[in-house]
Amino acid sequence: MRLWRKFAIGSAAGIVLAGGALLALDAADKAFPPPLDKADMISPEVLDADGQLLRAFATPEGRWRLKTGVADVDPQFLRMLVAYEDQRFYDHGGVDIWALGRASLQFVRNGRIVSGASTLSMQVARLIEPRAERSFAAKLLQLARAVQMERRLSKEEILDLYLTHAPYGGNLEGVRAASLAYFGKEPRRLTVAEAALLVALPQLPERRRPDRNLQAAQEARKRVLERAAVVEAVGDGEAERAEAVAIPMRRMRLPALAAHVAEAALRKQAAVLKHQTTLKKPVQQGLEAVARTAAMKLGPKLSLAMVMADAQTGAIVGEVGSADYFDASRSGWIDMTRVNRSPGSTLKPFIYGLAFEQGLVSQETIIEDRPADFFGYRPRNFDMSYQGDVTVRESLQLSLNVPAVKLLDAVGPSRLLVRFRRAEVRPALPPNETPGLAIGLGGVGISLKDLVQLYTALANRGQPARLGDGITGTPGKLDGEPLLEPVAVWNVADILSGVIPPAGAPQRGIAYKTGTSYGYRDAWSVGYDGRYVLGVWVGRPDNSAVPGLTGYGTAAPILFEAFAKSGIATTPLPRPPAGAVRIAQSELPISQRRFALNASGLLVASGREPAPQIVYPPEGAHIDLGAKGGDLSPLMLKLQGGRAPFRWLANGKPLPDLSRRRTQQWQPDGGGYSKLTVIDSAGRAASVGVFID
């Protein structure tokens, strides 16, 4: 009985002591937790719309430390890592007792360290709380920290910390940074040879750097591939084949795309570590490659900028702010996509669009290109010559100045700027000046981004899109009134798609317009297909003149090459909307055969005050408004001449309101033949008969 009493007392005392020890350890654990907050100091990243890395920034201490998780790396790499470093990783609680006992016994027998006993958890503890000395106390601290982490984190979370913080030589930390630097790819698809090298380097990262000590790197990789557990993990024969694969001898730059967008992202959200953009990495790579090549041809001090946007969603898919961000001679740090410059002739398509919309002209209308005086303003063509009588189509394709100013005088500069506001674009007028005719030739300031935003309306049947800033701004279609009616947009696209490409450029099925600002300071080219708009600017950031700089000769070749290198397949331009036709000159109404204005600003065909004339729809036209489907679209009516206000009648029934405008919408109540009539304030009338299909 005495023996059992002693045993019971001793057992109780042991339990009390053990419990006390556990309580003491628990209190110490709470009082001195592992410094897991240090593990959060990682490199900020800027990503494309699909999550691909565009650009990374070093940590404050200059380290490339990209956050890496188990899901970011090849599963075979993880198997090889565990097989080589810590075979019982998923079974122990931070300390591998068997490995620790084996290492201690080997040390006693040999008088030196034969094998280590550090688990992956202990290595993570050392990485997030590094100590210069390699003492017994430091090792005990690692043991304790490993146990603490195992109590707080899952095995996957511990692996995530290792994958992010493992050293790979120089300022590279983490598997992802190393894979990008040595193999030029993300670590999701590593070969056996690549995975073995990344397993081997962290033990002695400086001595085994392949870019500095190739032989040491080869020997270290070989040891990994010869480990029995690794051979079992990779499969029979794979290790031998991997040994024959060459090791990369140089370190590559980490992705460094979209410098201006990336810098802007950090300025806007300094505390955020991952910045999602609307950019597409393949598009961005293509545009930047074109920019580098073009910069070498342009010569010193010249810069260029590009913006490519999805006209349907408003997303900026590619953006180049300068020829070279780090080139001080070109002021590369200035983001020229956001700087207001003179747009040259790039606003002319919108002038013509308004003229088409108001029924002032058709594509084959004759307009004079001769010297003209607009109350003291005397525009001249770029080459100082004049073409005489030309069609409206030819005048826009040749970018003639006098016809454009004549049309702007007819539609009104203020009305043009009001339309631009529908696209949320407000060009900058010269100080203390009201909108004037010089707008048509570049007499305002506008940024490349805003110019591309305007052109999204031309690529999207008149409905503009908001581009946002590519970072935090929300892109999307603007829900207000269209910038131009679909028929007018189609006429503009039909003309611009017929402009001859620059020498050596293939015909890509795009519509495009060029522009050169006064004094050869800015060269522009903006092109679009049925989905994307691309704008190019070339010039000097200091606004100095560059003799010989032109939109067609300088910017247009870059535009076509950038479209080709963007990797985006050309989307056909939109099909003609209902009522969109190119009418031969002989079939035009008398008032549309030649464009001329009288002193009152009315369109005339001769010297007399004109009677009203319906210019759209033309007599006898068959117009597809969807009658077969039962859901009829409205029909746009246009007239010329006459004196406001106007009364419209459809099949003898008056439309609800008098109108002072020369355009009107009519909603048919069914298909078939209809007669449309307009009567002006002087009682003069005009009629046409049409077929609604």
Side-chain angles (χ1 to χ4, degrees), residues 29 93-95 121 142-152:
D29 178 64
V95 179
S121 304
Q142 281 181 31
L143 292 167
R145 291 301 195 204
V147 173
Q148 286 181 305
M149 284 192 299
E150 291 275 353
R151 295 179 64 183
R152 287 170 169 79

Side-chain angles (χ1 to χ4, degrees), residues 344-364:
S345 298
T346 56
L347 299 182
K348 286 179 181 176
F350 302 96
I351 299 171
Y352 282 76
L354 269 178
F356 287 131
E357 183 178 299
Q358 294 180 23
L360 298 179
V361 294
S362 291
Q363 290 194 38
E364 299 303 320

